[in-house]
Amino acid sequence: MVAVRSKTVAALVCSAAIAAGASACSSSNSSKSTAMPTSASTTQAVGSSSNSTGSTSGMSSSSSSPSMTGAAAAAPFGAACSAVPASGAGSFTGMAADPVGTAASNNPVLSTLVTAVKTAGLVDTLNSAQGVTVFAPTNDAFAKIPADTLNAVLADKAKLTKILTYHVVAGRLTPDQLAGTHATLEGGKVTVTGSGESFKVGDANVVCGNVQTANATVYIVDSVLMPPAS
């Protein structure tokens, strides 16, 4: 009788949790957390350091994608969102169906970023990652960099990888979670300020935020982020 009563109580608790919006309920006596990987472990999985050749092909993926919260599922925001195609693979709907590397390649606003990611050999790494936030510079952001400087960076795979991984943070950050200091996959930290629909990532403005892909949340920014000098 005690065992039956315990199972009944557990079932009622599970039902209440589901009604409150919980993503899962364990039938065991203790639930297991599905916390996002820490920046340190993710960085280790990426397998790069600022002094290495910049290869990140060893990044492992999680067995399942983190549950989307109501805030994360909200519509993208920002003035530059109007430049995103209304339909097709490069639209918000199309991007949501693809992993982030593929999604970016279908968006004409991010073509220069995609060229840099391909040059660094990071497309597969980004596509296999689970639960990350990407600060994605627009084509105009790259245009702010002098051509000779940009070409030199594109020719230096280690430096290019360092810069690009500085734009990636472990965990899918919703707008409510965005403000604060976050560890990047490059190893340095990036600080986001602001609230609501107005944010700055360092000195860069978020011009189209909360863009969803199959494995990442993207905040499109108007400047390229540069990691602190080591």
Side-chain angles (χ1 to χ4, degrees):
M1 178 64 73
V2 172
V4 172
R5 181 175 297 174
S6 297
K7 291 181 179 180
T8 301
V9 171
L12 290 174
V13 171
C14 182
S15 297
I18 294 174
S23 59
C25 184
S26 173
S27 61
S28 63
N29 292 333
S30 61
S31 61
K32 294 183 178 180
S33 172
T34 56
M36 291 303 306
T38 63
S39 59
S41 62
T42 308
T43 304
Q44 183 177 8
V46 171
S48 67
S49 69
S50 58
N51 296 323
S52 69
T53 60
S55 174
T56 57
S57 59
M59 184 175 184
S60 60
S61 62
S62 171
S63 59
S64 61
S65 178
S67 299
M68 296 298 293
T69 66
F77 60 85
C81 290
S82 61
V84 175
S87 62
S91 67
F92 293 129
T93 301
M95 291 179 71
D98 291 322
V100 64
T102 301
S105 69
N106 291 325
N107 192 322
V109 175
L110 303 175
S111 59
T112 306
L113 172 62
V114 171
T115 296
V117 170
K118 288 180 178 179
T119 301
L122 295 176
V123 175
D124 289 341
T125 298
L126 290 175
N127 280 347
S128 64
Q130 292 296 328
V132 294
T133 294
V134 177
F135 300 113
T138 63
N139 296 339
D140 288 342
F142 281 98
K144 293 179 181 180
I145 302 173
D148 56 345
T149 300
L150 180 59
N151 289 334
V153 170
L154 290 172
D156 186 337
K157 186 175 181 179
K159 186 172 184 177
L160 179 60
T161 299
K162 182 179 177 69
I163 292 172
L164 292 175
T165 53
Y166 186 67
H167 289 73
V168 184
V169 171
R172 299 184 73 149
L173 300 177
T174 68
D176 288 343
Q177 299 169 326
L178 191 58
T181 299
H182 309 284
T184 70
L185 299 191
E186 180 271 337
K189 293 183 178 181
V190 64
T191 298
V192 181
T193 56
S195 62
E197 296 185 354
S198 178
F199 293 96
K200 291 179 72 73
V201 186
D203 293 328
N205 296 295
V206 173
V207 293
C208 185
N210 203 37
V211 178
Q212 302 302 319
T213 74
N215 67 330
T217 299
V218 178
Y219 291 88
I220 300 175
V221 294
D222 65 358
S223 296
V224 177
L225 310 179
M226 300 303 293
S230 54

